[in-house]
Amino acid sequence: MSINYQDRIPNNVDLGSNRILQRALEHWQPEFLKWWEELGPKNFQVADVYLRTATSVDAKGWATYGYVRMPEYRWGIFLNERDPNRRIGFGDNFGQEVWQQVPGEYRATLRRLIVTQGDTEPASVEQQRMLGHTAPSLYDLRNLFQVNVEEGRHLWAMVYLLHAYFGRDGREEAEELLERHSGDADKPRILGTFNEPIRDWLSFFMFTYFTDRDGKFQLKSLAESSFDPLARTCQFMLTEEAHHMFVGDTGITRAVKRTVEVMKELNTEDPQAIRNAGAIDLPTIQKYLTFWFTSSLDLFGSETSSNAASYFANGLKGRPDEAQYEDHVAIDQVYEVQLPDGAGGTKSEQIPMRNAMNEVTRSSYVRDCEIGVKRWNRLIEKAGLSFRLSLPSTRFRRNIGNWAGVPTTPEGVPITAEQFAAGERGWLPSESDQAFVLSLMQGVHQQGKMAAWIAPPERGINNNPVDYEYVKLH
Ligand code: BYC
């Protein structure tokens, strides 16, 4: 499955054999490049960036490194190899052959899922476009751009499906993916989190840890789809996605590590003293964590969802790692959810398993998020400090689903709106917290240098040293 780089659009789908599709995508390509120039990373388009590019989708070729100017990055269409024996893995059509074309009855629903997925990719590039100026090092700058170009490629992945399988509607949707913009009051991105501004690197690391991890779980669900081209494209996207979460995980680890060093040096847990020394105090890191985790929880949709039930029944979207479950039809099962009782308390309710698929996926996600938190806490504990980071309850600060607009404490205990307003400053980044974090964001673009608020990484990219010239600025 090597990739054809001779075509204007690199691909491993034999694009050249379908002239109409090829021309349609070649028509979209300049629109994409225009969008990249206008809303991609600001001011670094002529820099040489040490990026990885896929030359094939197998283990040998998917990560080939070299200097590239971002506008010359070879965005293309890469799908995992087709498994001719693949069968539908869940839902009412369990065990039947997977689809190579879109069944007419699922056309609108599948298109909606692909558009929603596609919409998040350019949205994240838009959210992050100013961050290059305040990168804590060339290593981080390179990682930001790697994430950005790959999100651009993930947009290509969805646009290919829209063009190849959804006719004129698909082409129109592909155009609209470049017309909606993150935070645009008139044409916002579809999902809430992707309209939140990312102004600082602590937010960027939280986003890549928590929001890209939603990407992981959604892609895993779509990688189970009976629509085989969607499944194969998502399988390959997941390979790239892993690095994005690595950036978030290690970024938060390094921020915590530096803070802990400063706390030890000064022998204090006083947040102000830590801030005065140029590091981010742990309560502020907690608030950013709470903000991005809770925002990302909304991306799984409602706890009880008839949409999710019909995606599952029809075989469009499965559970992440569907193979781990014994029963892939899930028709007679129930799932217990905790819902607000409408009178300031909570109630337990048993709902049909299929309607609970969003909650099933969200629960797996929360368990995955815990892993990093445990690791960060070990760093803090080893230093003999008493502070602990934690994930708030999945009921806290929700805007989507059964808990939307229900005020609770971070532990998930329902409270009044007044109590929430009184507690908010202690739970979520206040304006002054944000101003402080922003004040630390001074770009460090000299080779081998690192901003003072973050520890250097343990190792560089592709066995290069940490102080390698990952971005050549001109
Ligand atoms: N904001 O039945 P419900 C990634 C809408 S991230 C705004 O509760 P459903 C990435 C929902 O669309 C992964 N609206 O939910 C990460 C529905 O509207 P319609 C992206 C929301 O449909 C970092 C209504 O509320 N991929 O890849 O079961 C960087 C009722 O919905 C939100 C996907 O999301 C929200 N947070 O599930 C780069 C996969 N949540 O249809 C990339 C595709 C829900 O009634 N999307 N709504 O008008 C899906 O599978 C589903 O659309 C959702 C929602 C899981 C998002």
Side-chain angles (χ1 to χ4, degrees), residues 112-114 116-118 120-122 124 127-128 147 151 154 190-194 207 211-216 218-219 222 237 241 244 295-309 311 317 358 400-401:
R112 176 88 186 139
L113 282 173
I114 292 169
T116 307
Q117 177 64 51
T120 63
E121 315 290 0
S124 68
Q127 286 170 293
Q128 297 161 15
V147 169
E151 299 302 8
H154 292 179
I190 296 171
L191 300 174
T193 311
F194 295 89
F207 180 93
T211 311
D212 278 86
R213 195 169 305 274
D214 166 55
K216 166 181 165 183
Q218 296 298 334
L219 290 173
L222 295 173
M237 287 162 75
E241 199 66 36
H244 306 186
S295 181
S296 305
L297 289 173
D298 278 340
L299 296 171
F300 292 84
S302 185
E303 284 69 7
T304 53
S305 166
S306 55
N307 283 350
Y311 298 153
K317 187 181 170 198
N358 288 344
I400 296 283

Side-chain angles (χ1 to χ4, degrees), residues 75-78 149-157 236-237 240:
W75 286 284
I77 301 157
F78 317 136
V149 293
E150 284 175 354
E151 299 302 8
R153 207 203 65 71
H154 292 179
L155 169 62
W156 269 96
F236 184 62
M237 287 162 75
E240 295 169 321

Side-chain angles (χ1 to χ4, degrees), residues 2 8 11 14 25 62 93 126 145 164 174 204 209 238 270 285 297 318 330 335 351 359 419 421 438 452:
S2 69
R8 244 168 74 188
N11 71 90
D14 195 17
L25 284 166
W62 76 275
N93 303 317
E126 292 167 356
F145 295 154
F204 171 66
Y209 187 82
L238 278 163
D270 173 20
I285 293 180
L297 289 173
Y335 189 89
I351 58 166
E359 194 55 16
Q419 287 169 318
L438 266 178

Side-chain angles (χ1 to χ4, degrees), residues 52-115:
R52 73 177 181 196
T53 309
T55 52
S56 66
V57 294
D58 54 21
K60 258 201 252 146
W62 76 275
T64 306
Y65 290 85
Y67 284 101
V68 184
R69 291 183 181 191
M70 283 185 281
E72 288 155 24
Y73 186 78
R74 301 299 312 275
W75 286 284
I77 301 157
F78 317 136
L79 271 65
N80 263 19
E81 198 155 354
R82 183 175 160 191
D83 169 4
N85 300 318
R86 184 165 177 257
R87 300 263 150 187
I88 295 178
F90 61 94
D92 292 342
N93 303 317
F94 179 70
Q96 293 180 17
E97 239 177 84
V98 290
W99 318 316
Q100 299 307 326
Q101 292 295 330
V102 180
E105 64 268 41
Y106 306 137
R107 195 179 159 87
T109 318
L110 264 175
R111 193 184 59 215
R112 176 88 186 139
L113 282 173
I114 292 169
V115 166

Side-chain angles (χ1 to χ4, degrees), residues 44 46-50 67-69 469-474:
F44 289 90
V46 296
D48 290 310
V49 188
Y50 186 71
Y67 284 101
V68 184
R69 291 183 181 191
E469 194 176 15
Y470 287 106
V471 184
K472 291 183 181 167
L473 301 163
H474 301 286

Side-chain angles (χ1 to χ4, degrees), residues 13 27 53 79 81 92 139 145 207 220 249 280 317 384 397 410 427 429 450 461:
V13 293
H27 190 73
T53 309
L79 271 65
E81 198 155 354
D92 292 342
Y139 165 89
F145 295 154
F207 180 93
K220 271 174 171 282
D249 191 357
I280 308 176
K317 187 181 170 198
R397 200 183 83 87
W427 298 329
M450 187 67 52
I461 296 294

Side-chain angles (χ1 to χ4, degrees), residues 129-415:
R129 71 184 297 258
M130 302 304 282
L131 289 178
H133 298 286
T134 54
S137 69
L138 289 185
Y139 165 89
D140 291 290
L141 188 62
R142 175 264 166 216
N143 281 348
L144 167 72
F145 295 154
Q146 182 72 59
V147 169
N148 291 161
V149 293
E150 284 175 354
E151 299 302 8
R153 207 203 65 71
H154 292 179
L155 169 62
W156 269 96
M158 293 301 127
V159 163
Y160 163 70
L161 295 176
L162 290 170
H163 271 249
Y165 297 96
F166 293 88
R168 176 203 273 261
D169 301 353
R171 290 195 293 278
E172 284 171 8
E173 292 283 10
E175 275 166 32
E176 283 172 34
L177 285 170
L178 298 176
E179 285 164 14
R180 286 185 292 273
H181 298 309
S182 178
D184 186 324
D186 298 323
K187 285 191 166 187
R189 290 297 179 181
I190 296 171
L191 300 174
T193 311
F194 295 89
N195 291 301
E196 298 287 359
I198 303 180
R199 296 194 188 91
D200 60 79
W201 279 73
L202 185 58
S203 297
F204 171 66
F205 292 136
M206 293 293 172
F207 180 93
T208 38
Y209 187 82
F210 289 109
T211 311
D212 278 86
R213 195 169 305 274
D214 166 55
K216 166 181 165 183
F217 280 80
Q218 296 298 334
L219 290 173
K220 271 174 171 282
S221 302
L222 295 173
E224 301 286 340
S225 182
S226 314
F227 178 41
D228 201 41
L230 173 62
R232 287 164 54 211
T233 213
C234 290
Q235 286 155 12
F236 184 62
M237 287 162 75
L238 278 163
T239 324
E240 295 169 321
E241 199 66 36
H243 174 71
H244 306 186
M245 284 174 291
F246 163 87
V247 169
D249 191 357
T250 52
I252 299 171
T253 304
R254 290 160 53 208
V256 169
K257 189 173 170 203
R258 180 67 196 130
T259 302
V260 165
E261 281 168 10
V262 169
M263 289 168 84
K264 295 281 285 176
E265 273 161 34
L266 301 181
N267 193 21
T268 179
E269 296 208 20
D270 173 20
Q272 194 52 51
I274 293 149
R275 286 187 176 195
N276 291 345
I280 308 176
D281 52 290
L282 294 175
T284 299
I285 293 180
Q286 173 67 58
K287 290 182 192 176
Y288 276 69
L289 180 159
T290 300
F291 178 88
W292 287 103
F293 172 66
T294 52
S295 181
S296 305
L297 289 173
D298 278 340
L299 296 171
F300 292 84
S302 185
E303 284 69 7
T304 53
S305 166
S306 55
N307 283 350
S310 62
Y311 298 153
F312 189 85
N314 297 329
L316 309 182
K317 187 181 170 198
R319 286 168 288 194
D321 304 307
E322 182 62 44
Q324 70 176 304
Y325 297 94
E326 267 176 32
D327 173 0
H328 302 295
V329 182
I331 193 86
D332 300 320
Q333 296 175 317
V334 288
Y335 189 89
E336 192 162 311
V337 284
Q338 301 290 320
L339 303 176
D341 67 3
T346 58
K347 60 174 181 187
S348 259
E349 217 171 80
Q350 291 202 333
I351 58 166
M353 178 63 87
R354 286 182 172 188
N355 292 62
M357 290 307 175
N358 288 344
E359 194 55 16
V360 170
T361 307
R362 186 170 18 242
S363 302
S364 307
Y365 165 82
V366 172
R367 283 195 296 277
D368 209 36
C369 289
E370 287 282 5
I371 296 171
V373 178
K374 281 203 186 108
R375 197 160 349 96
W376 306 323
N377 278 337
R378 270 204 298 278
L379 262 180
I380 303 171
E381 196 182 350
K382 257 171 94 183
L385 301 164
S386 60
F387 192 93
R388 294 291 177 270
L389 294 164
S390 61
L391 298 178
S393 161
T394 54
R395 303 171 197 167
F396 183 65
R397 200 183 83 87
R398 292 290 301 280
N399 289 305
I400 296 283
N402 304 63
W403 288 96
V406 178
T408 75
T409 63
E411 293 74 32
V413 179
I415 50 174

